[in-house]
Each structure stands twice: as structure tokens, then as C-alpha cells.
Amino acid sequence: MREILGRRLQRLRDHFQSLRPDRGRSGGTSALLEAALTCATTWQWPVLPGVGRSGTDGTRCACPDPDCVVPGAHPFDPGLLAASTDPRMVSWWWTNRPTAPVLMATGGTAPCAVSLPAGAAARALVRLDAQGLRLGPVVATPTRWALLVAPYSLERLGELLYAKDHVPSSLRFHGEGGYLLLPPSAASSGGRVRWEREPRALPQDPADPKSPGAQPLQTAGAKLWLPDVEAVVDALVEASSSAPGGGSRLAY
């Protein structure tokens, strides 16, 4: 099944490359299309193009809000509900908008995420690694990192946070109805989004590492290992609280 999906994905890439040779590998545009197709077909993550930057002023968002706090890096047209895993739809979007950021709609059957300031996140990863927790993919921008976790409900998240004495406002939760900017998109704060830790499929019959608080996320394309949010939230809250200003400043 995965071999068939791989061949179909490659045919789609070759087809759209031949249709738009002027937008092939220059400027990283093919990388965005390839990343969007990989997310949609290999991992079955619903994706959609972000609004992008203004054509007349590359520092401003293309949306109507002149004070947009996440320029270029949010849904607009199409809206978040349009997120899709259909390779034909994904290819059409990025063929017509080759520089559009790649957004994943979080929650449902897709991963959720928890993001925090980059420095705090790096410290949290050191602590979680020392605990022997098997982490999933980690998305990094120059200012924030996001740890992908298994899907969680808003009710369960509320119970977890209610039990904490303090949750820094710089800690953000990307659950059902949310979205996350994925590599190799342009970050709203400048620079590019990258994988600090890349998604990796599990073997067909992986040996159980007995890592606490983690579970495989089965999709139509591949099985991805993701930690439960319960397993990482303590380390992330502590790391965010130790950030400058007590972690109260929300940096995008």
C-alpha cells in the first residue's frame, strides 16, 4: 500500500513540475509542494496553504489586517476547514500559490501540538530526553518550537491545566480547530521553519521501547510515534516558567 502511494505521489510531483517548469526548483517552491504532498499522503495530515506575505510589501501579511501578529502564517482563503489530504487538491493549491506556507490542521486524526519559546523548548527537550521519554516530531522556528503530541480533547487538556498552579501565557496549545506552521515555510518572525526532530515512521512490527506516556498514531499512510500531552506538559510548563519574564510574554 505504501509503495503504491509513493508511486502516485512521485507521478503527481513529476506532472506538476512539467506543467510549471519556471517554478521548478528555484526559490524553494518545489520544496513547499513536496512537503505539503508528503504531509498529506505519507502522514495523512490535513494541510492547506497559509495566506502568505503581501506582494507589494514582503514584510506585511497578505490578509486585510494591517496589524496582523503572524504575518503570512495563518489561514485566510481557503479557511481552516478546507484542510485536505487529497493530493490533487494539495497539488492544485501549491501549483497556483507556490510560495504559500504549509499549514497543518491540528486535532481530529492529525497530531496536536504544544509550542513554547525556543530557548525554553530546547531545555525541555534535554529534560525529557534524560527521562527516557520517546518524543515525536519537533517543529522549530527562530522564536518558537512545537512538540507534536497525540490528539487530545479540550476537556482533557482543561483537566490537566486546572491542576497546575501556574501555566505561562507563552505556552500555546494547538488542538482541535487549531493549526501549525510546518517546514520549510517562511516563519512569521523571519527565517524558515525547520524540523528540530523529523517525523519518522515506525517499523511494521516495532519492538516496544517501554517508553512511558507515548503511543503510536496510526494513519492511512504510516504509523507515527507521538507522546501523550500528559507526558510532556510538566516539563514544558516548568521550562516556560523559567523563560525571561517568567514566560508570560507570548512570542510568535
Side-chain angles (χ1 to χ4, degrees):
M1 181 65 178
R2 292 182 61 188
E3 292 179 359
I4 295 174
L5 285 172
R7 289 196 294 270
R8 289 178 179 174
L9 176 59
Q10 188 58 53
R11 285 199 297 269
L12 278 169
R13 289 170 180 159
D14 294 342
H15 175 65
F16 284 101
Q17 288 282 355
S18 64
L19 286 177
R20 303 182 73 90
D22 58 318
R23 290 181 175 176
R25 299 191 176 276
S26 62
T29 55
S30 66
L32 289 164
L33 170 59
E34 184 173 349
L37 284 170
T38 298
C39 290
T41 58
T42 301
W43 305 112
Q44 289 291 293
W45 297 348
V47 297
L48 75 161
V51 62
R53 301 295 181 103
S54 169
T56 57
D57 182 357
T59 64
R60 297 185 61 182
C61 188
C63 76
D65 183 0
D67 301 315
C68 181
V69 295
V70 283
H74 65 89
F76 181 66
D77 184 15
L80 185 60
L81 292 178
S84 176
T85 58
D86 184 344
R88 295 166 298 179
M89 188 75 254
V90 171
S91 297
W92 186 86
W93 276 331
W94 270 273
T95 299
N96 287 278
R97 298 173 54 188
T99 61
V102 180
L103 300 179
M104 174 182 69
T106 53
T109 59
C112 292
V114 185
S115 67
L116 64 164
R123 292 192 296 273
L125 259 60
V126 170
R127 172 180 167 179
L128 292 169
D129 285 339
Q131 292 174 354
L133 180 69
R134 189 181 198 178
L135 294 174
V138 179
V139 176
T141 76
T143 57
R144 294 185 70 82
W145 291 11
L147 283 71
L148 270 61
V149 297
Y152 54 73
S153 67
L154 292 178
E155 291 78 11
R156 180 57 184 147
L157 179 63
E159 291 173 359
L160 286 172
L161 299 184
Y162 182 77
K164 307 298 177 190
D165 293 330
H166 171 65
V167 178
S169 61
S170 60
L171 201 60
R172 299 186 69 199
F173 296 88
H174 310 257
E176 185 75 32
Y179 62 90
L180 188 68
L181 189 66
L182 296 180
S185 307
S188 60
S189 56
R192 293 250 160 214
V193 186
R194 62 179 177 84
W195 291 111
E196 174 66 20
R197 299 194 181 179
E198 295 186 2
R200 296 187 184 277
L202 290 174
Q204 286 295 104
D205 186 21
D208 181 6
K210 301 188 184 303
S211 175
Q215 61 178 279
L217 176 65
Q218 179 67 58
T219 69
K223 184 181 287 186
L224 184 69
W225 190 268
L226 295 170
D228 288 327
V229 67
E230 293 95 326
V232 301
V233 69
D234 286 344
L236 301 186
V237 167
E238 181 179 328
S240 294
S241 299
S242 64
S248 61
R249 183 176 181 182
L250 180 60
Y252 286 93

